[in-house]
Amino acid sequence: MLSPFRRFTSIVVLILSLIVPIIVSAQTSTGSVCFNNDYALCSHAQCECIDEEGQPGNCTADGLAKCTCPIVRNQQNDNRELETAAYNANYGILRSCDERANPQLTDVLPKFVNNGTVAADVYSEYSYGDSLASRQFGTKSSAQLMICTNNPLMTDCLDAPCIVNDEGVAICYCKNTQLFADQIAIPWNTVGGDCQPQNCDLGEAKVWSAAYVQGTQVAIDAIQKDLLEFSGKFVSEPSYCN
């Protein structure tokens, strides 16, 4: 029997049939799951849109947003426990596991951050994070994914560079994006919004950190595959709001 997540996703995939190849090629071509790095978790972040100088501004496609996100610190897993593996597992596209664990100067932050001369402290990656009932990731636990269908603009924090501030949280710089198929906005999902569709729209100056639905499913499939190879067991997948 299909899980509620997969049943819901099957319906959404019908909507996305014309543009799934675009999303998959853009988000999954070199994706990998890593277990040994710290990372920022921006899955529920309300992000402030900024201009080219890093100052607050209206949200625009292809612009930037500044997101404040909790940091997931890697935990030793010498006993190869599945729960700890699920906690550590994070999915990204642009960098190897070593690069995620050891950010380099070759991948600098935007120029308005310390004149663009410093490397990121951590990167923002996808994980089960807030959906895990047994763990507290910053502000959420047992959270569900909310789909937004009529709000085309979001910010994509996957692989985004982040610095760690004095409070120990990550400030990540993410790229805004919007996609359409036949002039219809392509749905995206976020862990934010408390499953209230009216919360999809944050106004002109803020935007959710989010991901396109099909890209999220590909990331989930990758994590499940690695956890199965790790332990021979699956863990509960993130679920959608009812």
Side-chain angles (χ1 to χ4, degrees):
M1 180 179 294
L2 291 176
S3 67
F5 182 93
R6 291 185 181 277
R7 286 199 301 271
F8 195 94
T9 301
S10 296
I11 296 172
V12 173
V13 166
L14 293 176
I15 301 173
L16 302 181
S17 60
L18 293 176
I19 45 76
V20 162
I22 299 173
I23 298 175
V24 172
S25 63
Q27 297 192 32
T28 66
S29 57
T30 58
S32 61
V33 179
C34 301
F35 293 88
N36 297 312
N37 58 291
D38 298 342
Y39 63 95
L41 184 65
C42 296
S43 57
H44 57 270
Q46 292 187 29
C47 304
E48 179 185 50
C49 291
I50 53 178
D51 61 22
E52 294 181 354
E53 303 299 323
Q55 299 302 309
N58 289 341
C59 299
T60 60
D62 300 322
L64 285 178
K66 182 171 71 173
C67 306
T68 301
C69 309
I71 299 172
V72 180
R73 299 292 184 184
N74 179 261
Q75 294 187 353
Q76 288 292 113
N77 194 15
D78 296 334
N79 295 327
R80 296 180 60 82
E81 295 177 354
L82 178 59
E83 180 182 339
T84 304
Y87 172 91
N88 287 333
N90 60 100
Y91 174 89
I93 296 174
L94 297 181
R95 301 173 188 88
S96 67
C97 295
D98 182 66
E99 288 172 322
R100 288 185 223 173
N102 302 283
Q104 300 297 310
L105 187 60
T106 53
D107 189 13
V108 297
L109 290 153
K111 290 183 179 180
F112 53 78
V113 182
N114 294 326
N115 296 318
T117 59
V118 295
D121 293 318
V122 294
Y123 298 111
S124 170
E125 309 296 355
Y126 175 82
S127 78
Y128 283 4
D130 295 317
S131 66
L132 292 176
S134 59
R135 298 283 185 168
Q136 187 73 18
F137 284 68
T139 61
K140 300 282 185 179
S141 181
S142 301
Q144 293 180 305
L145 287 160
M146 178 177 71
I147 288 184
C148 295
T149 57
N150 298 316
N151 301 82
L153 188 64
M154 68 172 196
T155 197
D156 182 2
C157 286
L158 186 65
D159 299 313
C162 314
I163 58 173
V164 180
N165 66 14
D166 293 338
E167 285 74 43
V169 298
I171 306 300
C172 302
Y173 296 91
C174 307
K175 294 181 179 180
N176 298 341
T177 181
Q178 59 181 350
L179 289 177
F180 295 87
D182 291 342
Q183 299 183 332
I184 298 174
I186 296 171
W188 42 262
N189 46 222
T190 178
V191 176
D194 297 322
C195 291
Q196 301 298 316
Q198 67 269 24
N199 293 335
C200 287
D201 186 357
L202 295 177
E204 295 181 349
K206 288 188 176 182
V207 66
W208 285 111
S209 169
Y212 293 110
V213 175
Q214 183 68 8
T216 298
Q217 186 62 58
V218 172
I220 288 172
D221 289 344
I223 291 175
Q224 286 286 44
K225 177 178 179 293
D226 278 46
L227 290 177
L228 181 62
E229 292 176 353
F230 178 87
S231 67
K233 299 178 181 179
F234 286 118
V235 299
S236 296
E237 295 183 358
S239 61
Y240 280 115
C241 304
N242 294 328

